[in-house]
Amino acid sequence: MQITLRHIISLLCIVALSHVSALGQQRRVQNKPFIDERRFHYGFFVGAHDQSMQLQGNGYQAPASAGSVAGQQWVAQTDQTNFGFSVGVLGEWRMSRYVALRVQPSLHFGSRHITFRELGTGRTEQQDMKSCYIGVPVDFKISAPRFNNYRPYVVAGVAPMYDLITSKQSKLKAKPLNVMLEAGLGCDLYMPFFKFIPELKFGFGLNNILQKNRRDITDPSQLIFTQSLDKATVGMVMLTFYFE
């Protein structure tokens, strides 16, 4: 799923306008008025996400050999939206009235559907790359002043992730370690007995996860899919719901 700067700016404008319009509302009785005074906060979250993979081709053409047809040239792209499931726990340290540091051990179950196309014949091949990421994102949270029973905020940080099932890939194989840069926004909603927090966050992969050394492949004709690519990076769009 492609997320552009235009989309992010639009979302930020919506949140800002919502906050400005709220300033004209009357004050109401606050739920859980002292919950943010605690030094440490704990909770859990569930959510959904969409994984994408950016694939950079190199124009490789297969030489004449026993395992491939000479002149074959393949390109690849992710062509479907594959929603996955996320679950984890939250630990938050209040550094000041408006700034907090969050650590979120989490699991992300998902997949990426990839289609390969041979430019000369139009022949296609497909692969569904499943993943199970275990991650420990570390984010800074910057909050606005609380108004009535909600408090908008933005987050940014880094998320190291490790894929537990990369060994089961076929045409392409991903390296298990992935590091993402994260940015997002959300809003603390103060309920009578707990705090509910919807959040939208974007993850941008920083490292090349394409595994070029494919000693696991025994059929030489299958190597062409890896040889046709130079780089693969992962992105994620996450919609999560925290309960604290």
Side-chain angles (χ1 to χ4, degrees):
M1 183 175 183
Q2 301 296 322
I3 301 299
T4 65
L5 182 60
R6 178 180 174 183
H7 292 121
I8 297 174
I9 292 174
S10 298
L11 287 170
L12 290 174
C13 290
I14 292 172
V15 172
L17 289 173
S18 299
H19 182 60
V20 170
S21 64
L23 296 178
Q25 299 178 6
Q26 295 181 353
R27 290 283 182 177
R28 298 180 180 178
V29 176
Q30 290 191 351
N31 297 323
K32 309 291 288 184
F34 304 109
I35 191 171
D36 290 336
E37 298 302 319
R38 297 175 300 171
R39 178 63 66 179
F40 296 99
H41 299 249
Y42 304 98
F44 68 94
F45 67 88
V46 294
H49 70 269
D50 175 37
Q51 295 186 27
S52 65
M53 177 176 281
Q54 300 297 319
L55 301 170
Q56 180 178 315
N58 55 21
Y60 174 82
Q61 291 187 349
S65 67
S68 61
V69 178
Q72 280 192 354
Q73 188 174 5
W74 291 83
V75 294
Q77 65 177 4
T78 53
D79 59 353
Q80 291 184 12
T81 297
N82 296 285
F83 291 108
F85 177 71
S86 301
V87 62
V89 295
L90 166 70
E92 182 175 308
W93 172 41
R94 183 174 65 87
M95 303 176 67
S96 69
R97 185 176 181 183
Y98 300 109
V99 180
L101 180 66
R102 301 197 313 183
V103 179
Q104 305 162 76
S106 54
L107 282 171
H108 304 275
F109 305 92
S111 64
R112 299 173 292 269
H113 187 269
I114 300 175
T115 295
F116 305 88
R117 183 169 59 88
E118 206 283 307
L119 295 180
T121 63
R123 174 188 164 196
T124 61
E125 297 280 348
Q126 296 181 339
Q127 179 180 349
D128 191 21
M129 295 183 68
K130 298 185 182 300
S131 63
C132 177
Y133 281 111
I134 180 170
V136 188
V138 179
D139 297 329
F140 283 99
K141 175 183 176 182
I142 303 176
S143 303
R146 174 175 175 173
F147 185 82
N148 288 335
N149 288 312
Y150 64 89
R151 189 181 191 189
Y153 66 85
V154 295
V155 292
V158 64
M161 294 188 177
Y162 190 88
D163 193 350
L164 300 176
I165 60 174
T166 55
S167 61
K168 298 181 180 180
Q169 312 300 348
S170 55
K171 296 179 178 65
L172 294 184
K173 183 177 180 180
K175 297 177 182 177
L177 183 61
N178 183 34
V179 180
M180 290 188 179
L181 184 66
E182 294 189 327
L185 48 85
C187 188
D188 294 340
L189 303 178
Y190 300 85
M191 303 300 178
F193 301 105
F194 62 93
K195 188 162 67 171
F196 174 62
I197 312 169
E199 179 181 283
L200 181 64
K201 188 160 57 176
F202 306 93
F204 307 92
L206 298 178
N207 58 309
N208 182 8
I209 65 169
L210 180 65
Q211 180 65 266
K212 294 290 288 186
N213 185 8
R214 298 299 308 276
R215 295 181 180 178
D216 58 308
I217 291 182
T218 57
D219 182 0
S221 66
Q222 295 296 304
L223 285 172
I224 191 171
F225 301 105
T226 298
Q227 293 168 330
S228 298
L229 298 174
D230 278 340
K231 186 178 182 180
T233 56
V234 172
M236 293 179 68
V237 179
M238 295 161 278
L239 177 62
T240 50
F241 302 95
Y242 295 84
F243 299 86
E244 185 181 311

